[in-house]
Amino acid sequence: MALPLSSRRTTRRLAADAGLLVVAAAFILPLAWVVLSSLDPRADLRVKAPDGLTLDNFDAILTSDITFTPLLNSLVLCGGATLLTVVCAALAAYPLSRFRSRFNRPFLVTILFATSLPITAIMVPVYALFVQVDLIDTMQGTIFFFAASQLPFAIWLMKNFMDGVPKELEEAAWTDGAGPLQSLVRIVLPLMGPGVAVVTVFSFVMMWGNFFVPFMLLLTPDQMPASVSINDFFGNRGMVAYGQLAAFSIVYSTPVILLYVLIARRLGGGFALGGAVKG
């Protein structure tokens, strides 16, 4: 006998709720482990209540060599590369959005394809190139490569947001004598503030968690960012300082969280991927 329609709807809703709870648990449990282990003097791989609360794990990592210098290196690398990415993406997306050409679509498809290339596939030629041009083991060289690796998707995102800004506003500025660069800086970018914020946060987060690129391009320990220095907590023969690793993970994730909170507040808490602005 078939179930009534209301019963079937209830069953589907319960199944969907159960599936969402499983997904939520998959995200919450690792976060709970990080928070609890950072306060546990005898932390291990289990998610459990701490055996007494302590801040010794934070005291052990809050030193210049372990945390502050790597975090400063990460801020310099990711901040500089993010700024370069956003500026170049805006300059590249503007003509793609405002001027129609038969080459626009092939170009966009090409740069979108570039985002699908695995970073490991291009690191060997990049390393050889950096050795030839004397950019290996330099902060500026790593910043350039970070920006180049994020630029294709940043252009694609920026162009989609820019399409939502009415062109009539620029045309009014052109009649007053403004040039394309002036209209981009004074009209288009302010109106697509949420879009610029999304590109900024996305680029920064992708660079902040990148281990492989700085590990390959930087050789001096004093220049290593936090994404690489976190590997120091994994000792030999499986010995891991889990409590210190969890404490470092919390400190390491703080700049990304603060960036998102600050930008979200400035934009009224809105991160809409539509990016449309009605004139």
Side-chain angles (χ1 to χ4, degrees), residues 76-232:
V76 172
L77 285 173
C78 300
T82 299
L83 178 61
L84 186 60
T85 299
V86 172
V87 171
C88 292
L91 293 176
Y94 184 72
L96 291 172
S97 174
R98 289 303 187 251
F99 304 105
R100 303 303 174 191
S101 170
R102 62 178 180 176
F103 298 108
N104 280 15
R105 182 173 177 79
F107 180 76
L108 287 171
V109 172
T110 301
I111 63 174
L112 187 62
F113 170 75
T115 63
S116 65
L117 293 175
I119 197 70
T120 52
I122 61 176
M123 279 310 299
V124 172
V126 167
Y127 185 89
L129 174 64
F130 272 42
V131 171
Q132 292 294 324
V133 298
D134 200 25
L135 284 177
I136 199 72
D137 197 28
T138 62
M139 298 289 280
Q140 62 269 26
T142 308
I143 288 174
F144 289 150
F145 184 76
F146 262 149
S149 62
Q150 293 299 320
L151 196 54
F153 196 68
I155 294 174
W156 184 275
L157 271 181
M158 193 77 75
K159 189 262 182 188
N160 289 335
F161 283 112
M162 205 169 286
D163 288 342
V165 179
K167 192 175 181 180
E168 292 77 11
L169 298 176
E170 292 178 80
E171 293 173 348
W174 295 341
T175 59
D176 292 335
L181 184 59
Q182 288 177 311
S183 63
L184 170 64
V185 174
R186 297 184 180 182
I187 297 176
V188 177
L189 291 180
L191 288 176
M192 54 175 290
V196 176
V198 168
V199 174
T200 300
V201 172
F202 177 82
S203 301
F204 187 86
V205 170
M206 294 301 292
M207 298 172 192
W208 189 261
N210 194 306
F211 168 84
F212 191 63
V213 170
F215 180 75
M216 290 292 295
L217 299 182
L218 294 175
L219 307 177
T220 305
D222 292 339
Q223 292 184 333
M224 291 297 179
S227 59
V228 177
S229 66
I230 195 173
N231 188 55
D232 295 339

Side-chain angles (χ1 to χ4, degrees), residues 32-41 43-44 46 50 57 242-244 246-247:
W33 178 87
V34 169
V35 174
L36 295 175
S37 297
S38 67
L39 302 173
D40 192 346
D44 53 31
R46 295 175 296 170
N57 293 323
Y242 290 109
Q244 296 180 20

Side-chain angles (χ1 to χ4, degrees), residues 33-34 61 230 233-234 240-250:
W33 178 87
V34 169
I61 66 159
I230 195 173
F233 292 100
F234 295 89
V240 182
Y242 290 109
Q244 296 180 20
L245 174 62
F248 185 85
S249 298
I250 292 177

